[in-house]
Amino acid sequence: MSTTFDVVVIGAGPAGYVAAIRCAQLGLKTACVDDQTGKDGAASPGGTCLNVGCIPSKALLDSSEQYHRIQHEFASHGIQVKEASIDIDTMLARKDKIVKTLTGGIQQLFKANKVSFFHGRGKLLQNNQVAVDGDKENLTLQASNIIIACGSEPIDIPAAPIDQDRIVDSTGALEFGQVPRHLGVIGAGVIGLELGSVWRRLGSEVTVLEALDKFLPMVDQAIAKDAQRQFKAQGLNIKLGCRVTGTDQTAKHVSVDYSDKNGSHSIEVERLVVAVGRRPNTNTIAAEEVELKKDDRGFIEIDDQWQTSVPHVFAIGDAVRGPMLAHKGSEEGMAVAELLSGQHAHVNYEVIPWVIYTWPEIAWVGKTEQELDSENVSYRTGAFPFAATGRARAMEYPMGQIRIIAHQHTDRVLGVHIVGPYASELIAEAVVAMEFAASSEDIARIVHAHPTLSEAMHEAALAVDKRAIHKAN
């Protein structure tokens, strides 16, 4: 087998495997190195996202939502279901099957595009070389260019040491064999809210401890407050301004000590999920003699063309600055591949969508009102509730809203923020509009099908100019 390539990609997550496939499509002889292993012990490319992140969590979110609907929503449709129960083993097996199908699909894509795949841990060496510490053999690959896409890992905290039994990270929270009677979650960010939602729907009492005083500070606060009210109504007990100071385990419980403005407290839970964020998985990505510059948080330093401090070595995805989002990493992978083939490369970081897959979902793109206020930018807003749309009412999902922020003078859309049903799908229209520098008037002039949830986007755009039809302006 050849060990000399035009490009070697370290990592086969959403950033790495996309980079490898696109490089191969462009005629570059490409290899990809990844050490992820599935439950069967075989290679399982796809990174955190496909194996223990985006995909399995969405599978469980969907399963738990179906169960919740049977228990709490079907009756309003005239559908009676008696004594519904949940089979956790079947639910987890479904999740694992989805993961296996998708990770296997990546290997098929590698074969179809003639990407050489090496299962093992990759490490950057001097002179454009990559060491592969494999499960069967150790190799050294030579490359004209190298792309580092080594991803990220969960952050742990000394106050709650993870053992993947009683105290788990996001990976362990996908594998509970039974529904905890009381689940504790440290962190009310994207991961904490999604995992808390899964187990709350399945019957857990869920307490979320968040160190910050503000709920979802990165989200437009009108949307965040709306979402917080709905989560409270669902039974998620979210405590803000709480700093966990220690934990103590027994055979069946975890005692969690925390402090807030009112003093010190303690709660007892059956399981505890630590979801306080992620950090770049870059500690061992390069040999000591390689002068690969990283910042104080471990992110690999790059220029505006993803070039690192080492010539012909690039870095993308969670390993570098910017949001830790699979689609952001994938776009960077595409861009670097095209750059290496002599094409123009660009990623518009101003219009990267964010999604929280709770129910209702939360999605946004662009600036929040709080950011624009801090930047002294004048703007107008238009908001429209899903409760005023016929489709949302027919679906029994009359919750949430869409908010559009447009420049005061040019009317250019600066941000779109959604909390409501299928916000993850609706945000795509806003991303396209902003990519093409649309105004709120542009969206208002587009014909939206009736009855659809997307009509709320149309009405929110009309509301920017105080001319929404189906609500008082």
Side-chain angles (χ1 to χ4, degrees), residues 24-276:
Q25 287 177 343
L26 292 167
L28 300 171
K29 186 180 178 183
T30 306
C32 186
V33 182
D34 187 86
D35 67 343
Q36 187 84 43
T37 300
K39 290 185 175 181
D40 59 0
S44 187
T48 293
C49 180
L50 267 66
N51 284 277
V52 293
C54 315
I55 300 305
S57 64
K58 303 314 166 284
L60 293 185
L61 280 160
D62 190 71
S63 294
S64 63
E65 176 60 21
Q66 302 302 331
Y67 182 61
H68 176 84
R69 292 189 66 198
I70 288 172
Q71 289 191 311
H72 302 285
E73 298 176 15
F74 276 18
S76 65
H77 291 272
I79 303 171
Q80 301 297 328
V81 180
K82 296 181 179 179
E83 299 181 1
S85 62
I86 188 74
D87 184 331
I88 295 295
D89 289 341
T90 299
M91 186 177 72
L92 296 180
R94 171 184 175 271
K95 179 249 311 174
D96 292 341
K97 182 179 179 180
I98 292 169
V99 169
K100 183 69 174 176
T101 298
L102 293 175
T103 57
I106 292 175
Q107 296 192 64
Q108 292 300 315
L109 289 170
F110 280 164
K111 291 178 181 178
N113 288 279
K114 296 182 173 57
V115 175
S116 297
F117 178 65
F118 296 90
H119 186 216
R121 179 171 293 275
K123 175 177 284 190
L124 178 65
L125 306 177
Q126 289 182 316
N127 303 316
N128 282 35
Q129 293 183 329
V130 174
V132 181
D133 183 7
D135 52 353
K136 295 182 179 179
E137 60 180 337
N138 298 331
L139 300 169
T140 299
L141 309 181
Q142 184 72 48
S144 300
N145 294 283
I146 296 166
I147 302 174
I148 298 174
C150 52
S152 60
E153 61 185 358
I155 295 173
D156 52 6
I157 56 175
I162 293 168
D163 59 12
Q164 298 297 25
D165 182 18
R166 290 288 163 192
I167 303 178
V168 304
D169 58 17
S170 56
T171 300
L174 299 171
E175 299 295 339
F176 293 155
Q178 60 185 20
V179 179
R181 183 186 61 80
H182 190 180
L183 176 68
V185 180
I186 303 177
V190 176
I191 297 172
L193 289 174
E194 290 183 356
L195 292 173
S197 292
V198 166
W199 296 105
R200 176 69 193 107
R201 294 170 188 167
L202 296 177
S204 283
E205 177 186 350
V206 177
T207 300
V208 182
L209 303 174
E210 170 55 52
L212 298 177
D213 293 321
K214 184 179 291 185
F215 182 64
L216 293 177
M218 69 286 199
V219 177
D220 191 88
Q221 284 303 289
I223 296 295
K225 290 175 182 176
D226 192 335
Q228 187 176 11
R229 286 193 296 270
Q230 296 187 58
F231 295 149
K232 182 178 180 180
Q234 294 171 12
L236 277 178
N237 183 13
I238 301 172
K239 296 179 177 291
L240 302 177
C242 299
R243 186 167 296 279
V244 174
T245 56
T247 53
D248 185 43
Q249 292 193 54
T250 66
K252 295 183 178 180
H253 298 95
V254 179
S255 178
V256 184
D257 300 322
Y258 67 94
S259 61
D260 60 15
K261 62 182 179 181
N262 297 316
S264 298
H265 313 274
S266 181
I267 60 171
E268 189 175 79
V269 298
E270 285 189 12
R271 301 273 190 149
L272 180 65
V273 180
V274 180
V276 295

